[in-house]
């Protein structure tokens, strides 16, 4: 079956699947405090609907699936869904993005279900700083979950740190050392102007940070990919330290974008920084055949834009990150 190729000759083989838009934290760059405009549970795709739709995507060459949210571990019985997805022909890699507050309870079951890799959001190693960014004092639970994931044997475990000027940028070296000690891969991320929360975030250009860390830790460019995502990596000579930089503002990666995002209500977003979308829930609940779903997916991929416009139009996207899927 022909692969999914968009109008700009990019092969789409990676889907980020949001299983909930709810989260138990309120990170200052993501969901505003007091926000209650979440999707109605009756609008959430069921596990049967998710499995069917992902099955069609996988037959079209989408082999990498990442479970996201919100906080995906707030969705009941998530390991059961993971097991169903890993059993689908063509799904070669299932991973999970999490804030790790619930991970200690679920790590072993997720690993047994076929989840291979973890991305854990951790913006600070200081309890006070963590709480000020996350809006809740859950630092000990996050660390407990992170170490439970390590014991369960997930590999690699990537630490996602949104670098915020004047908030946590003084901790970058400490986070580098922490990740090297535990064998984690650190990924530093520039805040994106999504919704009022994202636009109010303390944006930090990561290019000078990369140059500084290269010098201080003797890092060189990593030529082999370390995942399906957009990070550009540096590594130490002994291979014990890998640091990725996700730079949607200072050095965008749109030319190689291979991913789309499916939100909890069945909306497929083609780009974080644009409004193009396609609604799959009406098709799934309206009796569409697999052939019709396949045609719809191909139609949707044709909508994928060439690039985002975070720099040119920073106020364009009013939806919050949790609404799109991480």
């Amino acid at each position: 079956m022909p692969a999914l190729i968009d109008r700009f000759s990019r092969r789409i083989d990676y889907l980020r699947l949001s299983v909930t838009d709810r989260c138990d934290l309120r990170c200052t760059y993501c969901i505003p405090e007091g926000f209650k405009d979440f999707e109605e549970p009756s609008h959430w795709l069921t596990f049967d609907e998710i499995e069917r739709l992902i099955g069609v995507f996988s037959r079209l060459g989408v082999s990498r699936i990442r479970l996201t949210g919100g906080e995906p571990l707030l969705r009941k019985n998530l390991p059961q869904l993971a097991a169903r997805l890993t059993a689908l022909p063509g799904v070669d890699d299932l991973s999970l993005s999490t804030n790790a507050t619930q991970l200690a309870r679920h790590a072993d079951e997720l690993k047994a279900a076929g989840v291979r890799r973890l991305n854990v959001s951790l913006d600070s190693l200081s309890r006070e700083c963590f709480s000020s960014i996350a809006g809740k004092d859950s630092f000990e639970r996050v660390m407990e979950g992170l170490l439970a994931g390590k014991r369960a044997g997930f590999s690699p475990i990537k630490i996602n740190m949104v670098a915020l000027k004047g908030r946590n940028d003084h901790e970058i070296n400490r986070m580098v050392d922490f990740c090297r000690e535990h064998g984690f891969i650190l990924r530093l991320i520039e805040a994106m102007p999504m919704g009022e929360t994202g636009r109010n975030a303390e944006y930090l250009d990561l290019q000078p940070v990369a140059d500084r860390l290269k010098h201080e830790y003797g890092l060189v460019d990593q030529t082999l990919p370390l995942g399906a995502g957009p990070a550009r990596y540096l590594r130490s000579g002994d291979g014990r330290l890998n640091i990725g930089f996700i730079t949607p503002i200072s050095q965008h990666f749109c030319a190689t974008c291979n991913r789309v995002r499916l939100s909890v209500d069945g909306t497929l977003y083609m780009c974080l920084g644009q409004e193009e979308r396609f609604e799959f829930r009406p098709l799934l609940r309206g009796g569409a055949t697999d052939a019709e779903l396949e045609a719809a997916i191909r139609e949707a991929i044709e909508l994928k834009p060439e690039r985002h416009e975070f720099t040119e139009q920073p106020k364009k996207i009013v939806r919050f990150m949790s609404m799109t899927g991480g």
Side-chain angles (χ1 to χ4, degrees):
M1 190 175 289
L4 291 175
I5 308 293
D6 74 4
R7 293 174 296 152
F8 305 99
S9 300
R10 297 172 297 199
R11 179 170 180 170
I12 310 304
D13 61 3
Y14 179 24
L15 186 143
R16 299 175 69 95
L17 168 64
S18 176
V19 295
T20 181
D21 58 346
R22 286 156 171 74
C23 189
D24 52 352
L25 300 181
R26 289 293 180 272
C27 295
T28 54
Y29 51 79
C30 188
I31 307 177
E33 185 177 357
F35 178 79
K36 298 184 184 302
D37 192 21
F38 296 106
E39 193 62 60
E40 291 293 330
S42 62
H43 294 169
W44 296 359
L45 294 190
T46 67
F47 284 4
D48 287 344
E49 290 167 338
I50 291 172
E51 182 182 10
R52 184 181 176 212
L53 188 56
I54 298 304
V56 179
F57 269 102
S58 67
R59 290 195 293 274
L60 294 173
V62 175
S63 60
R64 304 186 190 205
I65 308 294
R66 174 170 293 279
L67 300 170
T68 73
E71 171 44 49
L73 290 177
L74 295 181
R75 182 78 182 254
K76 291 182 179 178
N77 301 316
L78 187 66
Q80 294 180 20
L81 175 63
R84 293 170 68 169
L85 296 182
T86 55
L88 291 171
V91 175
D92 298 329
D93 180 65
L94 183 69
S95 55
L96 172 74
S97 289
T98 176
N99 63 26
T101 59
Q102 313 293 320
L103 185 58
R105 294 190 294 123
H106 299 292
D108 290 334
E109 194 176 1
L110 288 165
K111 188 67 167 55
V115 176
R116 295 183 180 181
R117 302 180 292 109
L118 296 178
N119 283 12
V120 176
S121 297
L122 181 62
D123 293 327
S124 174
L125 293 170
S126 158
R127 184 171 185 169
E128 181 180 358
C129 182
F130 174 93
S131 301
S132 72
I133 295 172
K136 188 176 181 180
D137 184 5
S138 297
F139 179 74
E140 296 300 332
R141 290 177 65 191
V142 170
M143 295 303 294
E144 180 185 0
L146 178 57
L147 296 179
K150 181 180 177 180
R151 288 192 301 271
F154 291 99
S155 181
I157 295 177
K158 297 179 181 179
I159 302 299
N160 286 349
M161 179 184 187
V162 178
L164 302 171
K165 188 174 183 179
R167 293 288 296 279
N168 65 354
D169 52 332
H170 65 287
E171 285 195 64
I172 289 176
N173 283 62
R174 184 181 176 193
M175 190 70 79
V176 170
D177 295 337
F178 171 79
C179 289
R180 179 168 56 183
E181 175 188 352
H182 288 280
F184 301 146
I185 295 174
L186 175 61
R187 304 201 311 171
L188 299 173
I189 304 173
E190 292 177 346
M192 287 175 277
M194 295 190 64
E196 288 300 322
T197 50
R199 285 190 285 277
N200 291 335
E202 299 88 340
Y203 167 73
L204 177 69
D205 183 344
L206 287 178
Q207 302 304 321
V209 175
D211 291 339
R212 176 175 65 79
L213 294 179
K214 265 188 173 183
H215 174 72
E216 292 178 359
Y217 289 89
L219 304 176
V220 296
D221 291 334
Q222 169 67 264
T223 55
L224 297 176
L226 292 177
R232 298 180 174 94
Y233 286 93
L234 302 175
R235 64 174 177 82
S236 60
D238 60 8
R240 292 184 57 224
L241 176 62
N242 288 279
I243 306 177
F245 298 84
I246 299 179
T247 55
I249 309 301
S250 65
Q251 187 179 5
H252 72 76
F253 36 80
C254 302
T256 57
C257 183
N258 62 341
R259 70 204 67 90
V260 289
R261 289 170 167 82
L262 185 68
S263 70
V264 66
D265 69 347
T267 302
L268 189 72
Y269 290 94
M270 266 45 78
C271 175
L272 273 178
Q274 298 289 4
E275 295 290 358
E276 287 83 357
R277 66 187 73 184
F278 195 100
E279 306 285 346
F280 280 93
R281 190 178 75 235
L283 293 176
L284 289 164
R285 298 185 181 178
T289 65
D290 282 4
E292 289 170 333
L293 290 175
E294 178 190 328
I297 290 171
R298 292 191 182 280
E299 180 182 344
I301 297 303
E302 285 296 302
L303 300 175
K304 188 171 174 63
E306 184 174 15
R307 60 180 297 259
H308 65 65
E309 298 174 304
F310 285 142
T311 303
E312 298 87 345
Q313 299 189 61
K315 297 184 178 182
K316 182 174 183 176
I317 303 301
V318 298
R319 65 181 186 272
F320 301 113
M321 176 71 82
S322 65
M323 298 169 67
T324 307

